[in-house]
C-alpha cells in the first residue's frame, strides 16, 4: 500500500480508526432497544452501553499507540458477551474482523511512511 498523495498519512489512518469506532458505538447503541424488547438480561444491555461509550471515548485517543490496541477491547468484550446472547457473539466477530483490517491498514501505511 502506497502513501503517495497523502499529505498526512497518520491523520488519514486515525480518521479510518475513528470512523470504525464511531460505527461500532452507533451499532451498539442501536442494539440496546432490540435487546431490551427481547427481554435479555440487563448485563447484555449494560455491556452494549458500556462498550459504546468506550468506543466513543477511544476515538479521541487514537493519537496514542496504545489506543489502537485498546480498541480490541470492543470485539473481545462482545465475543465474551456471546454467552449472554448470540447476537453479541456475531457482532464481536464482525467488529473483530473490521478492527483487524483497520490495524492492518495502519501497519501498512506506517511501514511505507518515508
Amino acid at each position: 500500500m502506497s502513501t503517495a498523495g497523502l499529505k498526512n498519512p497518520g491523520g488519514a489512518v486515525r480518521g479510518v480508526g475513528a470512523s470504525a469506532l464511531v460505527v461500532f458505538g452507533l451499532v451498539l447503541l442501536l442494539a440496546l432497544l432490540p435487546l431490551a424488547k427481547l427481554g435479555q438480561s440487563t448485563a447484555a444491555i449494560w455491556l452494549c452501553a458500556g462498550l459504546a461509550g468506550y468506543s466513543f471515548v477511544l476515538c479521541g485517543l487514537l493519537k496514542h499507540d496504545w489506543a489502537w490496541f485498546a480498541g480490541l477491547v470492543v470485539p473481545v468484550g462482545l465475543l465474551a458477551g456471546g454467552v449472554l446472547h448470540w447476537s453479541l457473539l456475531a457482532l464481536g466477530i464482525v467488529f473483530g474482523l473490521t478492527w483487524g483490517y483497520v490495524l492492518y491498514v495502519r501497519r501498512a501505511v506506517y511501514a511505507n511512511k518515508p
Side-chain angles (χ1 to χ4, degrees):
M1 180 176 292
S2 174
T3 58
L6 291 177
K7 293 182 181 179
N8 183 2
V13 171
R14 281 193 306 275
V16 169
S19 299
L21 287 169
V22 166
V23 169
F24 291 175
L26 289 175
V27 168
L28 289 170
L29 288 178
L30 289 171
L32 293 177
L33 185 60
L35 285 173
K37 291 288 183 183
L38 289 172
Q40 291 306 308
S41 67
T42 56
I45 294 169
W46 279 106
L47 176 68
C48 284
L51 288 175
Y54 180 79
S55 295
F56 293 135
V57 169
L58 204 56
C59 287
L61 298 174
L62 289 178
K63 288 184 179 180
H64 306 284
D65 286 335
W66 59 265
W68 289 91
F69 299 101
L72 290 171
V73 169
V74 177
V76 169
L78 288 169
L79 289 172
V83 299
L84 301 171
H85 195 267
W86 65 268
S87 63
L88 298 180
L89 177 68
L91 281 177
I93 292 169
V94 171
F95 286 5
L97 291 172
T98 303
W99 194 249
Y101 180 71
V102 168
L103 290 177
Y104 167 76
V105 168
R106 177 180 183 259
R107 187 187 66 174
V109 167
Y110 282 122
N112 292 323
K113 196 173 179 180

